[in-house]
């Protein structure tokens, strides 16, 4: 991962894509969101979603999974170039999560992340605060998911 | 579930509680958030969390699980009283998710929900929009999780 000073507003990264299978949708739903339209094809078709739909928490968790994998990849590449790799702080939360369109069985969602704002932390001068919008887009190019995430990132000359 | 007209600002419901085990924390993390402090006790102790910590997405997903179970319980009781049970619409998303304190292995989190605002939908007169704050509190009474959720709820005389 990079230092706060290396990050620029507007920078966009493709994070990876994921295909939601009927089996995966049902498995997540059975554990965490057992509503009928997440568990059964016929119930999904009869619902407003129009098909077996992934739980919104499943979509968010998959986005997290891809973010972690991408962070690891970026850190590995930086280490291979001999650059210093720094650990980001834990996320305090996020704002504006939107489930814009259903994610149905068979849909492939491509996730991306774009830096929206940068500011120093007033309480902790060794950290900067990065806001990034993570989005998911389906195979028809339709936006299905959006989330404004906040992260604490170490400053290069922070300590 | 109830109609929009039956809901009042300030109404609070206890949703249920859940104990996060080390095994459950690791199982969720391996699938969706494989960061080292979610996967290994020793790495967790060395992290800012101070112990094996649940993924924030795990905490949110458990809140969803308890909300679904509670909704089913409330609907069952209403049906038993002979009241009309209505289906709420899908959630368009939420705002202000906060992971306030770590949820560590062994912690028991009690979730509750309080209605914050009510307004008619301007675009769809048959629906009302309810905003409710879902919170999670640990066994020491400390707030660990907070989320401002939005739901579409049918109006009694909406159609």
């Amino acid at each position: 991962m990079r230092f706060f000073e290396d990050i620029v507003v507007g920078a966009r990264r493709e994070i990876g894509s994921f295909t939601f299978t009927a089996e995966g949708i049902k498995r997540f739903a059975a554990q965490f969101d057992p509503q009928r339209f997440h568990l059964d094809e016929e119930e999904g078709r009869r619902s407003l979603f129009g098909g077996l739909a992934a739980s919104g928490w499943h979509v968010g968790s998959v986005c997290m999974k891809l973010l972690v994998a991408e962070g690891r990849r970026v850190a590995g590449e930086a280490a291979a170039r001999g650059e210093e790799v720094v650990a980001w702080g834990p996320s305090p939360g996020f704002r504006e999560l939107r489930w814009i369109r259903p994610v149905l069985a068979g849909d492939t969602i491509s996730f991306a992340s774009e830096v929206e704002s940068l500011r120093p932390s007033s309480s902790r001068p060794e950290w900067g605060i990065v806001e990034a919008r993570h989005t998911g887009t389906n195979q028809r190019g339709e936006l299905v998911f959006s989330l404004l995430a906040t992260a604490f990132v170490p400053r290069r000359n922070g300590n």
Side-chain angles (χ1 to χ4, degrees), chain A residues 69-127:
Chain A
E70 210 261 345
R72 200 158 288 170
R73 205 160 48 231
V74 168
E77 289 166 4
R81 288 192 302 268
E83 295 171 13
E84 189 179 358
V85 174
V86 290
W88 286 25
S91 169
F94 53 78
R95 297 194 286 137
E96 294 177 32
L97 183 145
R98 295 194 200 115
W99 293 305
I100 299 157
R101 280 186 184 78
V103 172
L104 301 183
D107 280 355
T108 297
I109 309 302
S110 299
F111 293 89
S113 180
E114 187 166 329
V115 177
E116 288 221 345
S117 79
L118 294 168
R119 66 179 192 276
S121 165
S122 49
S123 56
R124 295 189 255 177
E126 69 276 25
W127 294 97

